[in-house]
Amino acid sequence: KAKRGEKITVASIGGSITQGVLFNGKDRSFGKITSEWFEEKFGIEVENINAGIGSTGSLVGIHRLETDVLSKKPDLLLLEFSVNDVSAFWSDQPYREPYEAIIRRVLKENIAIIGIIFGSTDAKRHDYVTHYMDTHTATMFYYDLPIINFYTAFWRYTSNKIIKHYDLDSNGKVTEKSFTFDGGGHPSVAGHNIIGKVIAYYLQDVLTKLEN
């Protein structure tokens, strides 16, 4: 559709990371950055749907999928639910069934999906940090769908303090270059910009391979 010059809709659903808790009404989330890539690449109109709600996992997401996502008829869904997709009572029991239910329901509508995985930068406190990663990855692989794991890409380096969470100015204040704004896992505007560019890099790679 994009190559034909038609309008497309990019939706994202997940927790506070998807929502972009820093922005205070101005959406600069990774979903918005991805939408802007489509606009610039194809010169088309792109509607961006941000269906992220903080502190929610896929158990909540499956119940609002129809209203918040499918009713908007998206062409691409960025599926997150990182960190929150784990039971508060059983840390080794992630929400496998509702996560898979979201995938199956979205595929039924012929909507493309990219799975998005993050790790908490406070991984030492979140001792369950790998459980949802393994489950999300296995589920996406089962349906032969792409998944981008930002934890293995670079988030683990911030977890282990190899890369700083913050870029400070000469007065020790956090700058706009900082990757997170709370040190715990919520990307800043700069962080979302990096994440969006990685997703765009993946999409460009897909296009290049299709053209070749």
Side-chain angles (χ1 to χ4, degrees):
K1 289 175 65 177
K3 292 179 74 173
R4 292 197 300 267
E6 299 177 20
K7 175 184 175 180
I8 66 169
T9 299
V10 175
S12 52
I13 188 170
S16 57
I17 294 174
T18 294
Q19 181 182 5
V21 295
L22 177 67
F23 305 135
N24 297 322
K26 184 179 180 181
D27 189 353
R28 295 303 303 157
S29 65
F30 64 82
K32 180 64 172 176
I33 302 299
T34 303
S35 298
E36 291 176 351
W37 177 83
F38 275 103
E39 292 175 337
E40 295 170 5
K41 177 71 177 178
F42 298 100
I44 59 172
E45 180 182 355
V46 180
E47 182 178 5
N48 176 59
I49 305 297
N50 189 332
I53 296 181
S55 300
T56 64
S58 57
L59 185 61
V60 175
I62 187 61
H63 290 288
R64 57 188 186 85
L65 183 68
E66 296 286 340
T67 301
D68 295 358
V69 175
L70 297 184
S71 66
K72 314 296 183 182
K73 300 186 182 303
D75 300 285
L76 171 65
L77 177 66
L78 305 176
L79 174 61
E80 185 239 322
F81 289 120
S82 298
V83 183
N84 296 332
D85 240 4
V86 65
S87 169
F89 302 101
W90 301 283
S91 63
D92 61 344
Q93 295 294 322
Y95 295 154
R96 185 170 190 165
E97 291 83 1
Y99 185 78
E100 183 175 11
I102 290 173
I103 292 172
R104 291 172 64 90
R105 184 67 187 88
V106 172
L107 289 178
K108 189 176 181 180
E109 299 296 325
N110 294 317
I111 298 167
I113 310 174
I114 299 176
I116 306 296
I117 287 182
F118 296 96
S120 171
T121 55
D122 196 5
K124 292 178 181 178
R125 179 169 65 87
H126 294 159
D127 59 354
Y128 54 77
V129 69
T130 62
H131 292 299
Y132 67 85
M133 291 186 193
D134 295 342
T135 301
H136 286 190
T137 300
T139 308
M140 293 294 284
F141 279 8
Y142 179 82
Y143 290 94
D144 196 23
L145 296 169
I147 190 160
I148 302 176
N149 190 331
F150 287 92
Y151 183 77
T152 57
F154 56 75
W155 214 300
R156 57 184 168 147
Y157 297 108
T158 62
S159 300
N160 295 314
K161 299 183 179 179
I162 297 172
I163 298 175
K164 296 179 180 178
H165 300 140
Y166 308 114
D167 190 337
L168 305 180
D169 62 20
S170 58
N171 296 319
K173 293 184 178 180
V174 175
T175 72
E176 293 182 355
K177 295 181 179 180
S178 298
F179 183 74
T180 69
F181 69 89
D182 60 358
H186 293 100
S188 63
V189 173
H192 275 274
N193 190 51
I194 293 170
I195 293 162
K197 287 183 181 299
V198 172
I199 296 171
Y201 180 88
Y202 167 75
L203 291 168
Q204 181 59 60
D205 190 51
V206 170
L207 285 175
T208 300
K209 289 178 179 178
L210 287 172
E211 291 168 357
N212 292 336

